[in-house]
Amino acid sequence: MKLVWSPEIAAKALVDTVKSCEIFQGSSVAELISAMAAGWNAKLIVETWCRGDVTTTSIGLAVACIHTNGRHVCIVPDEDSKSEYTAAMERAGMSPEVVVGAPEEAVKGLVMIDFLVVDARKNFGRIVKEAKFGIRGAVLVCKYASVKPAADVGLRGLFDGGSRRIVRSVFLPVGKGLDVAHVAAGEGGSGSDKGKKSRWIRRVDRRSGEEFLFRK
Protein backbone atom coordinates (compact mmCIF):
# COMPACT_ATOMS: atom_id res chain seq x y z
CA MET A 1 0.00 0.00 0.00
CA LYS A 2 1.30 3.43 -0.93
CA LEU A 3 0.36 7.03 -0.39
CA VAL A 4 -2.15 8.09 -3.03
CA TRP A 5 -2.62 11.72 -3.98
CA SER A 6 -6.15 13.19 -3.89
CA PRO A 7 -6.33 16.57 -5.66
CA GLU A 8 -9.93 17.11 -4.56
CA ILE A 9 -9.16 16.86 -0.83
CA ALA A 10 -6.00 18.93 -1.31
CA ALA A 11 -8.00 21.71 -2.95
CA LYS A 12 -10.59 21.75 -0.17
CA ALA A 13 -7.90 21.93 2.52
CA LEU A 14 -6.16 24.72 0.63
CA VAL A 15 -9.32 26.82 0.47
CA ASP A 16 -10.14 26.25 4.15
CA THR A 17 -6.59 27.10 5.20
CA VAL A 18 -6.72 30.34 3.21
CA LYS A 19 -9.89 31.25 5.12
CA SER A 20 -8.40 30.28 8.49
CA CYS A 21 -5.13 32.15 7.88
CA GLU A 22 -6.51 35.22 6.14
CA ILE A 23 -5.59 37.46 9.09
CA PHE A 24 -1.96 36.33 8.93
CA GLN A 25 0.65 37.65 6.53
CA GLY A 26 2.90 35.21 4.68
CA SER A 27 0.56 32.27 5.07
CA SER A 28 1.49 30.73 1.70
CA VAL A 29 3.64 28.09 3.42
CA ALA A 30 0.71 27.01 5.61
CA GLU A 31 -1.59 26.77 2.60
CA LEU A 32 0.85 24.67 0.62
CA ILE A 33 1.67 22.30 3.48
CA SER A 34 -2.00 21.91 4.35
CA ALA A 35 -2.84 20.97 0.76
CA MET A 36 0.00 18.43 0.71
CA ALA A 37 -1.03 16.79 3.99
CA ALA A 38 -4.67 16.59 2.95
CA GLY A 39 -3.89 15.50 -0.59
CA TRP A 40 -1.82 12.57 0.69
CA ASN A 41 -4.70 11.68 3.05
CA ALA A 42 -2.32 11.73 6.03
CA LYS A 43 -3.76 10.00 9.10
CA LEU A 44 -0.98 10.91 11.53
CA ILE A 45 0.53 14.36 11.08
CA VAL A 46 3.40 15.33 13.37
CA GLU A 47 5.19 18.67 13.62
CA THR A 48 7.72 20.34 15.89
CA TRP A 49 7.27 23.85 17.30
CA CYS A 50 9.04 26.19 19.72
CA ARG A 51 8.28 29.55 21.31
CA GLY A 52 8.24 32.53 19.00
CA ASP A 53 7.51 30.54 15.84
CA VAL A 54 4.42 31.27 13.75
CA THR A 55 1.37 29.03 14.10
CA THR A 56 0.03 29.38 10.56
CA THR A 57 1.58 26.05 9.55
CA SER A 58 -0.07 24.40 12.54
CA ILE A 59 -3.42 25.88 11.56
CA GLY A 60 -2.98 24.49 8.06
CA LEU A 61 -2.14 21.03 9.39
CA ALA A 62 -5.14 21.12 11.72
CA VAL A 63 -7.36 21.96 8.76
CA ALA A 64 -5.85 19.08 6.78
CA CYS A 65 -6.69 16.67 9.61
CA ILE A 66 -10.32 17.71 9.46
CA HIS A 67 -10.43 16.63 5.82
CA THR A 68 -8.53 13.36 6.34
CA ASN A 69 -10.15 12.48 9.67
CA GLY A 70 -6.61 12.18 10.97
CA ARG A 71 -4.60 12.99 14.08
CA HIS A 72 -2.48 16.13 14.41
CA VAL A 73 0.30 16.07 17.02
CA CYS A 74 2.62 18.96 17.82
CA ILE A 75 5.84 18.36 19.77
CA VAL A 76 7.01 21.29 21.91
CA PRO A 77 10.18 21.41 24.06
CA ASP A 78 8.73 22.69 27.36
CA GLU A 79 5.62 23.76 29.27
CA ASP A 80 6.07 27.45 28.40
CA SER A 81 6.05 26.56 24.72
CA LYS A 82 2.96 24.43 25.24
CA SER A 83 1.11 27.31 26.91
CA GLU A 84 1.99 29.77 24.15
CA TYR A 85 1.17 27.29 21.39
CA THR A 86 -2.12 26.14 22.90
CA ALA A 87 -3.30 29.71 23.46
CA ALA A 88 -2.47 30.70 19.87
CA MET A 89 -4.22 27.66 18.42
CA GLU A 90 -7.30 28.16 20.60
CA ARG A 91 -7.60 31.72 19.29
CA ALA A 92 -7.72 30.19 15.81
CA GLY A 93 -10.37 27.71 16.93
CA MET A 94 -8.00 24.72 16.79
CA SER A 95 -7.01 22.23 19.49
CA PRO A 96 -4.37 19.74 18.25
CA GLU A 97 -2.73 17.22 20.54
CA VAL A 98 0.44 18.58 22.19
CA VAL A 99 3.36 16.47 23.41
CA VAL A 100 6.01 18.05 25.66
CA GLY A 101 9.62 16.90 25.52
CA ALA A 102 12.83 16.88 23.50
CA PRO A 103 11.59 16.35 19.92
CA GLU A 104 14.09 13.58 19.12
CA GLU A 105 12.81 11.67 22.18
CA ALA A 106 9.11 12.52 21.98
CA VAL A 107 8.85 11.43 18.35
CA LYS A 108 9.82 7.89 19.37
CA GLY A 109 6.41 7.45 20.94
CA LEU A 110 4.55 8.26 17.73
CA VAL A 111 4.16 5.30 15.38
CA MET A 112 3.03 5.19 11.73
CA ILE A 113 3.71 8.85 10.90
CA ASP A 114 2.36 9.80 7.47
CA PHE A 115 3.40 13.45 7.41
CA LEU A 116 6.28 15.00 9.37
CA VAL A 117 7.09 18.73 9.50
CA VAL A 118 10.40 19.78 11.05
CA ASP A 119 12.49 22.95 11.32
CA ALA A 120 15.82 23.01 9.45
CA ARG A 121 17.25 25.33 12.13
CA LYS A 122 16.47 23.02 15.06
CA ASN A 123 18.67 19.91 14.70
CA PHE A 124 16.10 18.22 12.50
CA GLY A 125 18.42 15.32 11.67
CA ARG A 126 18.03 13.55 15.01
CA ILE A 127 14.25 13.92 14.85
CA VAL A 128 14.02 12.42 11.36
CA LYS A 129 16.28 9.50 12.30
CA GLU A 130 14.03 8.60 15.23
CA ALA A 131 10.73 8.99 13.37
CA LYS A 132 8.69 5.83 12.76
CA PHE A 133 7.04 6.29 9.38
CA GLY A 134 3.92 4.46 8.19
CA ILE A 135 3.82 1.40 5.94
CA ARG A 136 2.23 3.55 3.22
CA GLY A 137 5.32 5.69 3.12
CA ALA A 138 5.47 9.28 4.36
CA VAL A 139 6.01 12.88 3.35
CA LEU A 140 8.78 14.79 5.11
CA VAL A 141 8.71 18.60 5.06
CA CYS A 142 11.64 20.68 6.27
CA LYS A 143 10.83 24.36 6.88
CA TYR A 144 13.37 27.19 6.68
CA ALA A 145 15.38 25.09 4.24
CA SER A 146 17.04 28.18 2.73
CA VAL A 147 18.73 28.77 6.07
CA LYS A 148 20.34 25.32 5.89
CA PRO A 149 22.77 25.04 2.88
CA ALA A 150 22.30 22.01 0.65
CA ALA A 151 19.42 20.78 2.79
CA ASP A 152 18.32 18.30 0.11
CA VAL A 153 21.65 16.53 0.30
CA GLY A 154 21.42 16.58 4.10
CA LEU A 155 18.00 14.92 4.06
CA ARG A 156 19.22 12.13 1.81
CA GLY A 157 22.22 11.62 4.04
CA LEU A 158 19.90 10.82 6.94
CA PHE A 159 18.65 7.77 5.08
CA ASP A 160 21.94 6.48 3.62
CA GLY A 161 22.88 3.01 4.84
CA GLY A 162 19.55 2.42 6.57
CA SER A 163 16.47 0.42 5.67
CA ARG A 164 14.55 3.57 4.66
CA ARG A 165 15.13 5.62 1.54
CA ILE A 166 13.88 8.78 -0.14
CA VAL A 167 12.02 8.13 -3.38
CA ARG A 168 12.06 11.74 -4.54
CA SER A 169 12.67 15.19 -3.12
CA VAL A 170 12.29 18.80 -4.19
CA PHE A 171 13.17 22.26 -2.91
CA LEU A 172 10.33 24.81 -3.08
CA PRO A 173 11.20 28.54 -2.88
CA VAL A 174 8.21 29.34 -0.65
CA GLY A 175 8.63 31.42 2.51
CA LYS A 176 12.09 30.67 3.89
CA GLY A 177 12.30 27.60 1.67
CA LEU A 178 10.75 24.13 1.92
CA ASP A 179 12.49 20.81 1.33
CA VAL A 180 9.90 18.14 0.63
CA ALA A 181 10.79 14.45 0.45
CA HIS A 182 8.71 11.33 -0.19
CA VAL A 183 9.92 8.44 1.98
CA ALA A 184 9.40 5.00 0.44
CA ALA A 185 6.55 2.76 1.59
CA GLY A 186 6.84 -0.41 3.64
CA GLU A 187 9.63 -0.44 6.24
CA GLY A 188 11.42 2.28 4.34
CA GLY A 189 10.57 0.64 1.03
CA SER A 190 13.66 -1.58 1.09
CA GLY A 191 11.91 -4.95 1.18
CA SER A 192 10.62 -4.85 -2.38
CA ASP A 193 13.96 -3.62 -3.73
CA LYS A 194 15.98 -6.72 -2.90
CA GLY A 195 17.69 -8.14 -5.92
CA LYS A 196 17.31 -4.96 -7.94
CA LYS A 197 20.38 -3.43 -9.52
CA SER A 198 21.51 -0.10 -8.16
CA ARG A 199 21.65 2.95 -10.41
CA TRP A 200 23.09 6.43 -10.26
CA ILE A 201 20.84 9.47 -9.97
CA ARG A 202 22.03 12.95 -10.91
CA ARG A 203 20.69 15.96 -9.00
CA VAL A 204 21.55 19.65 -9.19
CA ASP A 205 21.24 21.87 -6.11
CA ARG A 206 19.06 24.78 -7.27
CA ARG A 207 20.67 27.20 -4.85
CA SER A 208 24.37 26.52 -5.37
CA GLY A 209 24.34 25.03 -8.87
CA GLU A 210 26.41 22.08 -7.60
CA GLU A 211 25.85 18.65 -9.12
CA PHE A 212 25.49 15.55 -6.95
CA LEU A 213 25.36 11.85 -7.77
CA PHE A 214 23.43 9.36 -5.64
CA ARG A 215 23.41 5.57 -5.88
CA LYS A 216 19.88 4.16 -5.65
Side-chain angles (χ1 to χ4, degrees), residues 1-2 13-14 16 23 75 88 90 96 108 110 125 140 145-146 148 164 177 180 182 189 211 215:
M1 184 182 295
K2 296 182 179 180
L14 175 61
D16 287 349
I23 63 173
I75 300 174
E90 286 179 348
K108 293 179 182 179
L110 301 169
L140 171 60
S146 296
K148 189 102 175 159
R164 304 177 301 178
V180 183
H182 180 196
E211 181 177 314
R215 182 182 288 277

Side-chain angles (χ1 to χ4, degrees), residues 100-149:
V100 179
E104 63 271 21
E105 293 298 324
V107 77
K108 293 179 182 179
L110 301 169
V111 183
M112 304 291 284
I113 298 173
D114 293 316
F115 202 91
L116 176 63
V117 182
V118 294
D119 189 328
R121 306 167 301 174
K122 306 294 182 180
N123 195 21
F124 69 95
R126 294 177 62 187
I127 302 170
V128 174
K129 285 184 177 180
E130 297 294 346
K132 298 179 178 67
F133 296 119
I135 58 174
R136 299 188 305 142
V139 175
L140 171 60
V141 178
C142 190
K143 300 186 301 180
Y144 301 102
S146 296
V147 182
K148 189 102 175 159

Side-chain angles (χ1 to χ4, degrees), residues 13-121:
L14 175 61
V15 172
D16 287 349
T17 302
V18 170
K19 293 178 181 178
S20 298
C21 295
E22 61 185 358
I23 63 173
F24 298 98
Q25 294 182 347
S27 62
S28 58
V29 171
E31 294 154 9
L32 177 58
I33 292 179
S34 176
M36 286 192 291
W40 288 115
N41 196 28
K43 298 303 182 183
L44 177 54
I45 298 173
V46 178
E47 65 167 325
T48 60
W49 190 90
C50 61
R51 295 186 67 185
D53 201 357
V54 297
T55 55
T56 47
T57 297
S58 296
I59 293 172
L61 293 175
V63 169
C65 272
I66 294 173
H67 290 278
T68 66
N69 193 29
R71 177 186 175 197
H72 173 204
V73 181
C74 181
I75 300 174
V76 298
D78 49 49
E79 291 295 336
D80 287 340
S81 295
K82 179 180 179 180
S83 297
E84 182 177 320
Y85 178 82
T86 301
M89 293 300 286
E90 286 179 348
R91 287 195 295 271
M94 307 291 182
S95 56
E97 181 179 343
V98 181
V99 175
V100 179
E104 63 271 21
E105 293 298 324
V107 77
K108 293 179 182 179
L110 301 169
V111 183
M112 304 291 284
I113 298 173
D114 293 316
F115 202 91
L116 176 63
V117 182
V118 294
D119 189 328
R121 306 167 301 174

